[in-house]
Amino acid sequence: MRKVRDDRYDVLRNALGENIKTLSMTKKWNEKPVSTLADLCGVTQSNVSNWIAGRSLPNVLQLSIIAEYFGVTMEWLIQKHTKEELMETIIDRKDSD
């Protein structure tokens, strides 16, 4: 049972990191994207880097702030998406700018 829970946690962390990376391509970032999210969430840049790398997860409030910033749901942020779905997200968001 512990192994299944650990595997799910790994999938969740990796999905969140990939989704933040993908969404960052759709946003007009200032010079420092990690700094922007860190400021919004009230954490260090190291925390944000760890989220993106899949080493840790934000808390629920931070996840809510990230979702609102990117204009997606918290559920979308933590779901694993196919590469095609992620590319479609990038294209759709760039077209709407």
Side-chain angles (χ1 to χ4, degrees), residues 4-5 10 14 18-19 26 30 35-36 38 40-41 45-46 50 52-53 56 66 78 83 86 91-94 97:
V4 171
R5 192 171 79 224
D10 289 343
N14 291 328
E18 284 301 314
N19 292 338
T26 69
N30 61 17
S35 177
T36 301
L40 287 171
C41 294
Q45 292 180 27
S46 178
N50 285 334
I52 293 170
S56 65
I66 296 166
I78 61 173
K83 289 201 184 288
L86 293 174
I91 292 167
D92 288 348
R93 289 180 175 271
K94 285 192 176 187
D97 284 345

Side-chain angles (χ1 to χ4, degrees), residues 6 39 94:
D6 290 346
D39 289 344
K94 285 192 176 187

Side-chain angles (χ1 to χ4, degrees), residues 29-44:
W29 288 101
N30 61 17
E31 294 176 18
K32 299 182 180 178
V34 173
S35 177
T36 301
L37 281 180
D39 289 344
L40 287 171
C41 294
V43 298
T44 66

Side-chain angles (χ1 to χ4, degrees), residues 59-75:
N59 65 34
V60 174
L61 178 59
Q62 294 159 342
L63 189 63
S64 173
I65 291 167
I66 296 166
E68 184 177 335
Y69 178 70
F70 286 119
V72 296
T73 64
M74 291 192 306
E75 181 180 12

